[in-house]
Structures are given as structure tokens and as C-alpha cells.
Amino acid sequence: MIDMHTHLLPGIDDGAADWTETLRLARAAAAEGITAVVATPHHANGRDLNPACGVLELVREANDRLAAAGIPLSVRPGQEIRVHDDLLDAWSRGELLALNQSNYVLIELPPDFIPKGMPDLLHELDMLGLRAVIAHPERNAEIVRHPERLGELIEAGAHAQVTAHSLLGGFGKQIERQAWSLCERGWIHLVASDAHHIDRRGFRLLQAYERIEQELGAVWRQTAESNARRLLIGGSLDNSPVIHAGERSLWRKISGIFT
Ligand SMILES: [Fe+2]
């Protein structure tokens, strides 16, 4: 498995505090069957500034330390970039990183609303050959109230990533319901852990994929897993299947027969 949203680089945001925690997270990821992670430290979220050069250096060091410790996990560079007025200029100054140097950038919305300029930003990114992947839309308060507004952003060229913990109820019932509903509507392209801390917010990616297969079917799971691989090997992300009313309970019945 590939995990395209993690906070395992040490001491630069609210993820791993030091190299000991980085290595513990890396071991846990490898034990779960994750072979590569994209390190996506927060950038420009009002608290953390992690421009490209520092992230690239830490990613190099992380790979050296993991190899020395015999942990079979590859770390790739990325950022979780908060939408901000300076974003396009920051890209031209070389301060931003796409996910593993692909054409996809991980974009974080503010927690409470969708900025008015989002459609324009998507258009401008498109002009630069970039596609936005919206991080955990199920946790944005405006999308919780008006999920169709995520649909509009997808229509305008965005992609979206749901967080494993949201699907598994780690952020409460409302976010769990919203996460599954966005998946069913075909508006989610990627699943990731957004892992921050081994005990408080670990990976649970395998568990999420297993639940997805039970609830939404094997094709949905395969699409999401293959999209995550494409961030590593290149290629465009596919849309995930839309799950119509009744199909979800059917998948649950079918998987109940085999498990
Ligand atoms: Fe994150």
C-alpha cells in the first residue's frame, strides 16, 4: 500500500516530535504493509512554514535513517498546503512541493469554510499543469453542511482524499457518515492515513481499505489503491465508482457471505 498523506518528518509540525517517533511511525507503517509514504508536513497553515528545500533535506535524511535501521519503507516528498493568497507566487518561487513530484498537490482548506476563490485557484493551478487534491474534505464544516459544494469543486477539476480515521469513526459519527457519503458519491479519489502519532493518530490504512471493500465493493478499493500508486509511478487519477442507493447494503451482504 501507498500512503500519500502523513506527518512523519520530525519536529516541523504537529506530527512526529523527533527521529525516535519518526522511526516508530515508519516501523508501524511497514508492519501494516505500507511500502511508501509521502511526507506531507503542514505548510502555510498559520502555524507551520515548511518550504520545499527543508522538506527535501529531511526526506533524504529520513530515507538514510530508515535504511540504516532496516525498515522497508520509502519516504517521498510532499506538503499539505493550506489555501492562502500567496500560494501561486509561492509555487513560482519554488517553495511548494507536489506529491512525490507528480502533477498533484495536496491542498488543505480552512476547517470552517471553502474560500471564495477556490474555483479560480483550481483554474490557475490547471494553467500550471497542476491538479489539487483536497485533503480530508469530510472534516470541513461547510462541506459537512453542504456536501454538494465538494461536488462543484470536483467538477471544476479538483480531486479529494478521505482520511482512514474518518471512515473508521475516529473523528465522531457525523464525520464518519459524511466520509462514507462522499465516497459513495464518487467524489473521493484517494484514501490516506494522515498519520501524526503512533498512539493518538496512527495509520489504520489497511483497516480502512478492508472496510471500504466490505461497504463499497472491491472495485472502489482497487481504484483508490491504484490512484495512490499512480502518484508514485505517474499517470492520471481515475474517478472512483458511484455507489447507488441499496448497493452499499448489497456489498455488505455479499462480503458477509465470504467473510
Ligand atoms: Fe495532514
Side-chain angles (χ1 to χ4, degrees), residues 5-7 13-14 40-42 80 106 108 135-136 139 161 163 193-196 201:
H5 182 169
T6 66
H7 296 266
D13 63 2
D14 56 347
T40 51
H42 290 289
E80 180 174 10
L106 185 62
E108 184 188 36
H136 39 67
R139 294 173 56 200
Q161 166 258 312
T163 293
S193 72
D194 195 7
H196 279 67
R201 277 175 73 182

Side-chain angles (χ1 to χ4, degrees), residues 51-103:
C53 53
V55 176
L56 290 168
E57 216 162 281
L58 279 174
V59 165
R60 254 192 305 275
E61 185 172 351
N63 281 307
D64 288 348
R65 285 175 181 258
L66 265 58
I71 303 169
L73 182 77
S74 164
V75 182
R76 311 297 179 95
Q79 282 167 329
E80 180 174 10
I81 305 161
R82 178 69 69 88
V83 177
H84 62 291
D85 293 343
D86 189 42
L87 195 150
L88 294 165
D89 289 335
W91 177 265
S92 63
R93 291 194 301 270
E95 291 170 11
L96 304 185
L97 288 168
L99 294 162
N100 188 44
Q101 286 146 349
S102 66
N103 298 326

Side-chain angles (χ1 to χ4, degrees), residues 14-57:
D14 56 347
D18 51 31
W19 282 111
T20 307
E21 282 193 13
T22 299
L23 291 190
R24 285 181 73 203
L25 275 165
R27 273 196 199 92
E32 199 175 305
I34 295 168
T35 53
V37 298
V38 184
T40 51
H42 290 289
H43 180 62
N45 64 350
R47 198 180 57 176
D48 306 303
L49 277 177
N50 284 301
C53 53
V55 176
L56 290 168
E57 216 162 281

